[in-house]
Amino acid sequence: MRVPIIAGNWKMNKSVDESIELANAIIRGAYDVKNVDIVLCPPFTSLSDLSEMLADSDVSLGAQNCFWLNEGAYTGEIAPGMLKKAGCEYVILGHSERRAYFGETNETVNKRLIAALGEGLKPIVCVGEKLDEREANKTFDVVRDHVENGLKGVTKNDMENVTIAYEPVWAIGTGKNATPAQAQEVHAFIRELVGKIYDKAIADQLRIQYGGSVNPGNAESILKEKDVDGGLIGGASLKADSFLDIIKKAASAGK
Ligand code: PEP
């Protein structure tokens, strides 16, 4: 029922020329892939070039963050309306690196989310616990806090455009992925929680991606889990071969 979504978070990697080369290889390699939504999230500087390139393909464009106002004296910020006009369909919000290094909180993530939805963007909202929180058995408390407070004020209608990415912080960029069972357990928890906040129909249609050291070797087993609807891919999205391999595994996950 839910089309899997595989998004590449390129983080602060790839110049414009390198972005064009990588996007070209992905478009070519994914031309015959059906039933997977593919999203590329390059740095801001590459958005407009990639927007032109992706226009005739089934691959979508996303940004890695946005501000909550649409213009003004906010040096270094990018408005959601600017992203929309630059051709973005998606925007990643609340990534753990933004929370850890740039002071993002549930409150600021929520403001960005409401603003992004207001501009017709499709946000990918990242949630997930740190290692010490998992070890202290606080995983569900942290994820509940991120989901409940991150989604505050988001309407049922808007939830159709929201994707949640469960990204255990200890698994991001570390080569230590969550096991399929660990991912499924938290994904099921998120779906149940969204069902309580909204209703079962909203929970059933919600796509929940897993992110954290997904690679061609572990993608299949994680993507096969019932409540895992794709992946947010960092390191393995920087090479066409590994990203395409994960996309193809999502296409054949048989859900
Ligand atoms: C990410 O940055 O969202 C991520 C999941 O990174 P990696 O795949 O490198 O762990």
Side-chain angles (χ1 to χ4, degrees):
M1 255 173 44
R2 297 181 294 267
V3 175
I5 172 169
I6 301 289
N9 174 15
W10 295 2
K11 312 195 189 195
M12 198 176 70
N13 295 294
K14 306 290 176 191
S15 64
V16 174
D17 286 352
E18 290 165 344
S19 298
I20 290 171
E21 194 184 330
L22 178 55
N24 248 324
I26 292 167
I27 294 169
R28 269 189 270 115
Y31 80 98
D32 59 346
V33 173
K34 302 269 173 283
N35 281 327
V36 180
D37 287 344
I38 304 167
V39 186
L40 305 184
C41 303
F44 290 127
T45 43
S46 298
L47 287 175
S48 71
D49 284 271
L50 260 56
S51 157
E52 281 178 29
M53 286 177 59
L54 300 182
D56 295 327
S57 78
D58 287 334
V59 178
S60 301
L61 187 64
Q64 298 174 18
N65 193 20
C66 71
F67 194 49
W68 55 81
L69 295 175
N70 245 333
E71 61 183 3
Y74 302 98
T75 303
E77 291 293 328
I78 304 277
M82 293 172 179
L83 295 180
K84 188 77 186 170
K85 287 192 187 111
C88 288
E89 188 177 342
Y90 291 86
V91 60
I92 298 171
L93 295 174
H95 191 281
S96 66
E97 287 152 15
R98 302 288 322 165
R99 293 180 193 255
Y101 308 139
F102 303 100
E104 293 274 349
T105 61
N106 287 332
E107 198 192 350
T108 59
V109 172
N110 179 252
K111 285 164 91 166
R112 292 173 203 270
L113 173 60
I114 301 284
L117 287 165
E119 286 298 326
L121 290 163
K122 296 178 180 167
I124 296 175
V125 183
C126 303
V127 304
E129 81 288 357
K130 300 189 200 108
L131 183 59
D132 59 325
E133 293 166 337
R134 174 161 282 263
E135 286 174 348
N137 288 323
K138 288 188 181 149
T139 296
F140 296 116
D141 293 341
V142 172
V143 170
R144 182 188 296 110
D145 181 46
H146 286 176
V147 171
E148 283 180 351
N149 291 308
L151 295 182
K152 243 182 206 157
V154 175
T155 64
K156 277 189 188 180
N157 275 351
D158 277 340
M159 277 306 287
E160 286 174 20
N161 289 322
V162 172
T163 297
I164 292 181
Y166 169 56
E167 299 210 302
V169 180
W170 48 271
I172 297 180
T174 58
K176 245 193 262 167
N177 60 287
T179 64
Q182 283 173 323
Q184 168 58 28
E185 185 183 35
V186 180
H187 282 229
F189 172 79
I190 293 171
R191 198 174 305 287
E192 198 187 326
L193 180 58
V194 168
K196 282 183 195 146
I197 301 171
Y198 295 94
D199 59 35
K200 189 170 178 312
I202 299 286
D204 283 346
Q205 62 82 43
L206 175 71
R207 294 192 291 187
I208 308 172
Q209 295 173 297
Y210 168 78
S213 296
V214 175
N215 60 43
N218 60 27
E220 189 170 12
S221 58
I222 297 173
L223 293 169
K224 275 207 157 122
E225 290 293 335
K226 177 169 161 279
D227 288 293
V228 176
D229 309 308
L232 181 53
I233 318 296
S237 72
L238 296 175
K239 291 218 159 62
D241 286 357
S242 47
F243 192 56
L244 287 165
D245 192 316
I246 294 167
I247 290 168
K248 284 171 188 165
K249 288 195 165 118
S252 62
K255 293 190 296 178

